[in-house]
Amino acid sequence: MAAAITGVGAYAPRFRISSEAFEEAWGQFHAAGVTEKAVPSADEDALTMAYEAATRALEAAATDPDDIDWLAVASSRPPAAEEDLTVRLGAMLSLSESATGQLFSGSTRSGTRALWAGMDALEADTTTALVVAADAPRGDPDDGMDHAAGAGSAAFVLERDGPAEITDRAEYSAPYPGTRFRNSGEDETQGLGITQYDRQAFTETIGGAVDGLEVEPEAEAAAIQAPDGKLPYRAAGAAGVSTDVIQAAATVHELGDLGAASVPLSLARALEDGYESVLAVSHGSGAGADAFTVEAEGDVPAVTALEGDDPLTYAEYLRQRGIVTTGPPSGGGAYVSIPSWRRSLPQRYRLEAGRCSECGALSFPPEGSCDDCGALAEYEPVELAGEGTIEAVTTISQGGAPPEFAEQQARSGDYAAAIVALETDSGDETVSAPAMGTDADPADFSVGDRIETTIRRIYTQEGVTRYGFKIRPASE
């Protein structure tokens, strides 16, 4: 049974740091072929980037979240070492609670492992699958692993028929310990740095996976795992393609090493750019590789956001990563228990307002007495559209944030706090809600401006990160 891609989504953070900024700080730059890379902001991680790509893929495929019956999330760096991201992401996307969820991690190969499992799911009883890969590797500050480490995500809606068919797949593995690893309790990815050994592991596994394909690919573009901007091209011979074919799908030069999202995001770019025959080959330490051939007929629906518009100095880069901050604030801030936070997830994830059964007015959040008539009545759930207008806004400057937000402010700097009029799907009603700004400087938020919502990290308390909606300037 065939598997087809019916919608593509991709995302990269707006922040960028150049190779020159690293060279100014360290006197040298260790990531060959990378001119700049994407940097996640203080309120971003693999889960929020997965949300960004997944919403775009669903939009591209014109697929209702209720139609997704199988979800996979892949990341070599999930935000929590022991937690199922599929549950949180499914709730953020309003997927059916009956949808199957599978998490893939532990390797840069996990993105294609998830795609492989999605194909298997379609061969069983799944009708519509969503595969999402999101990653933000990091290494020691003076190591080539960190100099190359970028951030990004890609997502695919899979069905049995569609404009881009996955026509062939193969895998290959061979024991090469030590090429890339992150030990338990450690935050930075490491490698032994034995160049010839690493290169042999890379080329052997990629070549083995491509050789395992039933039909020799004649690819116009090749999405090859890219730990830096040089190694993919060294595998050209093993993959049976030219360097120009690899260049056609490459994202590493401007986004950096995307870990588990490296091949999925390059595949997403190739399909968006209209290539009709694409070879996708991953590599994961250990070592193993997956190879896929994708044949497209006509345009493949794609919604992507990969452009960066905010360059960072090296000091700003360290601050966004949380390496250089002012330290923890005194006092714990406002306390919201996990059970209380969980009860508010419909509002924080899906913008669920309530319509008063007495007077019909909207309230957000839908709790307590009605803001209009004062009745203690039941509320009918009403999901808002995620768009609206700023009614009031201010800037929270350094030292002005409540203690629970102080850590993020130490990393990201000043932020906008606003009251926004959020609209219903029909656009003929609004309800006011407080919100934090993201993805833009505070000066970019003004009264009357149009905004859209996204989901980001709010703060961490008791070791548990709270996620919820924030606002950003509306995309044009």
Side-chain angles (χ1 to χ4, degrees):
M1 182 179 295
I5 298 170
T6 58
V8 174
Y11 170 80
R14 67 187 176 103
F15 287 125
R16 298 288 190 273
I17 185 168
S18 67
S19 58
E20 288 84 358
F22 268 87
E23 195 163 357
E24 288 176 8
W26 288 101
Q28 54 188 331
F29 184 62
H30 297 297
V34 177
T35 57
E36 67 175 8
K37 65 174 189 173
V39 180
S41 63
D43 62 355
E44 290 188 292
D45 58 23
L47 177 56
T48 66
M49 291 190 294
Y51 172 82
E52 294 279 8
T55 54
R56 287 170 170 81
L58 292 171
E59 177 186 347
T63 297
D64 191 290
D66 283 338
D67 293 336
I68 300 295
D69 49 8
W70 191 91
L71 168 68
V73 182
S75 179
S76 72
R77 291 189 59 86
E82 188 172 338
E83 183 175 288
D84 189 347
L85 292 189
T86 66
V87 179
R88 287 221 210 194
L89 182 60
M92 291 174 179
L93 297 172
S94 299
L95 303 191
S96 168
E97 292 182 358
S98 64
T100 299
Q102 292 193 20
L103 177 65
F104 297 80
S105 189
S107 169
T108 57
R109 187 186 175 192
S110 60
T112 56
R113 290 281 82 192
L115 194 59
W116 190 293
M119 295 178 66
D120 288 342
L122 287 175
E123 290 180 356
D125 58 355
T126 293
T127 58
T128 308
L130 176 62
V131 177
V132 193
D135 226 343
R138 61 189 297 175
D140 293 318
D142 62 344
D143 185 73
M145 196 81 70
D146 191 69
H147 289 204
S153 56
F156 306 93
V157 176
L158 301 183
E159 299 180 75
R160 290 168 184 164
D161 296 295
E165 185 177 342
I166 303 173
T167 58
D168 201 358
R169 58 174 168 168
E171 62 176 313
Y172 179 91
S173 61
Y176 279 91
T179 57
R180 181 178 178 129
F181 57 92
R182 182 161 60 93
N183 292 321
S184 297
E186 294 181 350
D187 201 34
E188 287 79 21
T189 298
Q190 304 174 42
L192 297 177
I194 306 174
T195 303
Q196 186 59 38
Y197 180 76
D198 291 348
R199 188 182 302 166
Q200 182 176 341
F202 190 78
T203 55
E204 179 184 336
T205 54
I206 284 178
V210 174
D211 287 344
L213 294 170
E214 292 184 5
V215 178
E216 184 176 346
E218 297 181 0
E220 300 173 342
I224 307 291
Q225 190 76 40
D228 58 34
K230 192 173 183 179
L231 200 54
Y233 300 98
R234 292 189 177 276
V241 297
S242 69
T243 56
D244 288 343
V245 170
I246 296 174
Q247 173 68 43
T251 59
V252 64
H253 307 298
E254 69 271 21
L255 297 180
D257 171 17
L258 303 181
S262 174
V263 172
L265 203 147
S266 291
L267 173 59
R269 166 175 281 184
L271 293 174
E272 182 184 35
D273 288 346
Y275 290 101
E276 295 181 350
S277 180
V278 184
L279 171 67
V281 195
S282 68
H283 166 80
S285 56
D290 298 317
F292 299 87
T293 54
V294 181
E295 302 293 333
E297 294 185 3
D299 294 335
V300 180
V303 178
T304 64
L306 300 177
E307 299 300 320
D309 59 2
D310 205 331
L312 298 175
T313 65
Y314 187 71
E316 290 169 334
Y317 166 73
L318 293 180
R319 192 180 71 179
Q320 289 290 340
R321 279 189 44 175
I323 294 176
V324 177
T325 66
T326 55
S330 59
Y335 175 71
V336 180
S337 70
I338 290 297
S340 296
W341 188 273
R342 182 186 180 279
R343 286 194 293 271
S344 69
L345 291 184
Q347 293 83 55
R348 299 184 187 277
Y349 288 179
R350 301 191 296 275
L351 300 177
E352 186 178 281
R355 187 177 301 282
C356 176
S357 59
E358 293 291 327
C359 70
L362 289 177
S363 291
F364 187 91
E367 59 186 27
S369 61
C370 173
D371 293 336
D372 275 28
C373 70
L376 288 170
E378 293 293 324
Y379 288 102
E380 174 193 350
V382 176
E383 285 195 17
L384 303 174
E387 299 176 349
T389 305
I390 296 176
E391 296 179 310
V393 64
T394 189
T395 297
I396 306 298
S397 299
Q398 195 67 28
E404 63 269 31
F405 301 116
E407 180 181 355
Q408 178 194 313
Q409 188 182 66
R411 294 171 60 181
S412 63
D414 297 353
Y415 65 87
I419 302 297
V420 293
L422 295 174
E423 299 166 355
T424 58
D425 283 330
S426 62
D428 56 4
E429 291 181 277
T430 64
V431 60
S432 297
M436 297 173 66
T438 191
D439 276 1
D441 291 332
D444 294 330
F445 295 91
S446 299
V447 172
D449 286 354
R450 296 288 298 171
I451 57 88
E452 63 187 22
T453 62
T454 187
I455 292 182
R456 292 294 169 85
R457 297 167 67 100
I458 304 296
Y459 61 86
T460 299
Q461 207 170 57
E462 300 174 312
V464 178
T465 298
R466 274 77 158 166
Y467 295 86
F469 80 90
K470 291 186 180 181
I471 61 167
R472 60 188 174 199
S475 55
E476 297 179 359

